[in-house]
Amino acid sequence: MEELISLCKRRGFIYQGSEIYGGLAGTWDYGPLGVALKKNIEQLWWKRFVLDREDMYGVDAAILMNQEVWKSSGHVAGFADPLVEDLKTKKRYRADHVLEAQGIDPKGMSFADMDKVIKEKEIKSPEGNPFGEVRQFNMMFKTQIGAVEDENSISYLRPETAQGMFVNFKNVVDSFHPKLPFGLAQIGKAFRNEIAPRDFIFRVRELEQMEIEYFVKPSLWEESFEHFRKESKEFFKEIGLPEDKVHELEIAPEDLAHYSKRTIDFEFDYPFCRKELSGLAYRTDFDLKSHSAGSSIDLSYFDESEEDKEKKRFIPHCIEPSFGVGRAILAVLSSAYAEDELGGEKRSYLKLAPEVAPYLIAVFPLLKNKSELVLKAREVFDLLRKIPQFAGRVIFDETGSIGKRYRRQDEIGTPYCVTVDFDTLGENPEHLDTVTIRDRDTGEQKRIKIKELEFLKN
Ligand code: ATP
């Protein structure tokens, strides 16, 4: 993890948030390469789950919502983590994490249960001090809207993107008249005032989610649940996660969230331990029902295809696949990080899938001080970057020795390095207009015609 965090900073993937002011806990800034990696992952997700389907509708809802949304959804009353305070230092910890650190499994425990165990076992804080009572800590960031501060001006930074889709359910139905099953999808920021942000970008206070609310006939929920279970796994494969590091965890009935009848967590073997990467929940009709009641707007659905008149109007049930962008990025980066020896030298590199790597191809002139090589390399660079599939994914580099350039590209996970040398210019007429192409993982080089570089499109 330390190596990865330092690589991310050194090479411009991810920086500490507000770093020059000493940072801000639980926030991270994406640098140029981090943005490229993130966008690639998000685009693959959007393509798979929205663009390539006829039953999915994209939305981009406001982060600030009417406070009534969060009352109806249950977040104001119950979106809380168990908090314990070191009575001496006043440092705050998550009670379930405190128990886990003692080898005690907190699954299924209520806040009162946790409190009892901490007291009975006389568990102390990491500084060796006694803990206070375990209490509820609401994780929503509260804020005030407008110039007057009173009860009516309260709002929250959304702690999940999901509610933005439930409140737009009727809008989408009225505009598009979709047939069941259909879904709303959204990628966006969410905020959670985590008691203890940690493990790099794994647990943060400002996060990004890729979520779907998929509406189904109540009797057919299992079909869609299975479908998204398979699709989630396909997505993980597509972004290059090793299959043996992704695990399904069926959540026990006593641990299910209040709105869920069934949930599977997809867990990943992160460098620090196996933890939740994404979730898949069957939310029944809880959300639409709650918002119907809270807003007094009828959020039922009229099913024309239903023959039984009595059953034509109902509240659809909902399947929710929910992905954290940062957790996907951390899974991708940590499983791609590799060290080996190449040409007698140690190297660290990122074995990223070409689909997500910030750059697909790097183009070099063999020598920086030979203008004819630089000119030709620029020509190859321009040719490649104009190919639509390569747009923004080709980089030109002429600084330092060729060996250093290879290492630099290895470290940022560029799958292919293309070098223009004297043979390209015709020094050996047989090789005129050819370049060498080097494979990141093996370090092997081949000579191919410039025209053939287009094969990388596939
Ligand atoms: P955890 O138990 O790890 O706190 P959660 O069960 O509260 O997560 P959900 O509410 O199901 O998470 O959120 C859906 C997804 O959003 C998670 O699977 C995860 O990928 C992501 N996510 C949630 N909280 C965070 C966070 N604090 N930092 C980064 N990603 C998060």
Side-chain angles (χ1 to χ4, degrees):
M1 207 49 178
E2 290 305 314
E3 303 285 342
L4 182 64
I5 296 172
S6 113
L7 183 149
C8 282
K9 178 174 160 62
R10 194 170 63 246
R11 291 296 181 205
F13 280 89
I14 299 166
Y15 309 113
Q16 196 186 356
S18 315
E19 190 176 347
I20 62 168
Y21 287 98
L24 179 67
T27 66
W28 296 88
D29 293 345
Y30 286 79
L33 299 191
V35 172
L37 172 64
K38 182 155 89 74
K39 287 226 179 315
N40 290 340
I41 291 175
E42 288 175 352
Q43 274 166 12
L44 288 172
W45 188 89
W46 194 255
K47 181 170 183 320
R48 170 178 292 276
F49 289 106
V50 182
L51 301 183
D52 286 352
R53 306 175 60 121
E54 287 184 84
D55 58 350
M56 211 64 93
Y57 297 82
V59 293
D60 190 355
I63 288 173
L64 295 170
M65 300 173 93
N66 190 311
Q67 56 172 300
E68 296 302 323
V69 171
W70 305 108
K71 289 183 187 160
S72 297
S73 68
H75 283 79
V76 171
F79 190 60
D81 268 347
L83 172 108
V84 272
E85 205 172 84
D86 176 320
L87 288 177
K88 212 162 178 188
T89 64
K90 304 288 174 214
K91 267 199 201 158
R92 292 168 157 203
Y93 298 89
R94 250 177 76 169
D96 52 337
H97 291 169
V98 166
L99 293 177
E100 274 171 4
Q102 298 288 323
I104 301 164
D105 186 359
K107 283 200 187 84
M109 283 191 195
S110 66
F111 288 11
D113 295 338
M114 290 183 206
D115 192 58
K116 203 165 149 215
V117 175
I118 288 176
K119 293 223 165 74
E120 272 175 11
K121 299 209 180 281
E122 295 180 2
I123 296 170
K124 299 271 185 304
S125 77
E127 283 89 0
N129 304 315
F131 278 124
E133 295 264 308
V134 174
R135 52 195 170 90
Q136 282 210 15
F137 174 75
N138 195 301
M139 292 202 289
M140 284 200 292
F141 283 98
K142 211 177 199 178
T143 187
Q144 302 281 339
I145 304 285
V148 182
E149 288 193 14
D150 62 17
E151 274 302 300
N152 297 324
S153 65
I154 293 173
S155 186
Y156 304 89
L157 301 186
R158 68 179 178 203
E160 59 176 32
T161 61
Q163 301 305 323
M165 290 179 271
F166 293 122
V167 299
N168 279 296
F169 170 81
K170 187 171 161 20
N171 284 334
V172 171
V173 168
D174 290 349
S175 308
F176 299 93
H177 311 288
K179 297 216 168 14
L180 285 177
F182 69 92
L184 270 61
Q186 153 157 253
I187 299 179
K189 291 251 179 179
F191 302 81
R192 298 182 179 192
N193 198 2
E194 295 279 352
I195 296 166
R198 59 180 182 180
D199 298 322
F200 192 29
I201 53 170
F202 179 82
R203 186 171 301 287
V204 294
R205 290 185 169 134
E206 179 173 337
L207 55 133
E208 215 153 334
Q209 292 182 315
M210 307 184 282
E211 292 195 301
I212 294 166
E213 305 307 330
Y214 196 74
F215 300 100
V216 299
K217 275 191 186 188
S219 59
L220 298 177
W221 72 269
E222 272 164 315
E223 228 169 75
S224 295
F225 193 91
E226 274 313 307
H227 167 76
F228 283 109
R229 178 187 191 157
K230 286 205 193 94
E231 276 298 291
S232 299
K233 286 208 259 188
E234 287 301 316
F235 173 67
F236 296 141
K237 245 196 270 173
E238 193 178 7
I239 60 175
L241 300 186
E243 279 177 76
D244 59 347
K245 286 193 169 187
V246 178
H247 309 274
E248 285 182 31
L249 176 73
E250 181 84 43
I251 303 300
E254 65 271 23
D255 287 333
L256 288 174
H258 60 283
Y259 52 74
S260 175
K261 277 253 173 71
R262 186 177 179 199
T263 295
I264 288 178
D265 281 353
F266 287 95
E267 296 193 315
F268 188 78
D269 293 325
Y270 288 102
F272 45 92
C273 69
R274 185 177 292 179
K275 281 273 184 191
E276 180 176 335
L277 161 65
S278 80
L280 174 62
Y282 168 41
R283 298 179 74 118
T284 67
D285 56 0
F286 174 83
D287 306 274
L288 290 182
K289 242 187 188 161
S290 311
H291 287 304
S292 278
S295 63
S296 306
I297 300 283
D298 179 10
L299 297 181
S300 64
Y301 178 87
F302 185 74
D303 188 356
E304 283 165 13
S305 69
E306 178 62 59
E307 276 162 20
D308 184 341
K309 264 194 179 164
E310 299 282 298
K311 292 187 184 158
K312 270 187 179 295
R313 198 165 262 295
F314 59 92
I315 301 235
H317 280 212
C318 180
I319 307 292
E320 178 193 70
S322 172
F323 300 81
V325 178
R327 290 193 187 178
I329 292 175
L330 186 56
V332 163
L333 284 173
S334 63
S335 53
Y337 184 84
E339 290 175 349
D340 68 359
E341 227 180 82
L342 198 66
E345 257 185 69
K346 280 204 164 150
R347 69 163 180 167
S348 55
Y349 67 110
L350 291 179
K351 236 176 163 161
L352 294 172
E355 290 79 4
V356 300
Y359 295 113
L360 184 65
I361 313 166
V363 180
F364 312 147
L366 180 66
L367 300 168
K368 184 188 173 181
N369 55 5
K370 294 280 178 223
S371 59
E372 60 275 35
L373 287 178
V374 176
L375 269 174
K376 186 70 187 172
R378 278 253 157 221
E379 218 178 87
V380 174
F381 171 62
D382 282 335
L383 181 96
L384 291 175
R385 72 210 286 231
K386 282 194 187 115
I387 297 174
Q389 286 91 333
F390 298 161
R393 306 202 59 211
V394 190
I395 181 174
F396 184 84
D397 191 1
E398 57 177 14
T399 45
S401 70
I402 193 90
K404 280 219 176 94
R405 287 182 236 157
Y406 283 148
R407 289 300 128 80
R408 201 153 50 224
Q409 295 304 323
D410 290 346
E411 260 206 322
I412 65 171
T414 309
Y416 304 104
C417 290
V418 165
T419 302
V420 166
D421 57 13
F422 291 106
D423 278 6
T424 317
L425 304 176
E427 195 167 278
N428 174 352
E430 250 177 61
H431 290 157
L432 178 69
D433 282 337
T434 63
V435 287
T436 63
I437 177 162
R438 173 184 174 275
D439 179 274
R440 173 196 64 202
D441 300 344
T442 60
E444 271 169 26
Q445 294 185 35
K446 276 195 308 198
R447 183 168 284 283
I448 64 168
K449 293 212 167 72
I450 291 170
K451 271 196 208 144
E452 286 169 357
L453 286 171
E454 286 204 22
F455 88 93
L456 295 172
K457 278 199 300 205
N458 317 313

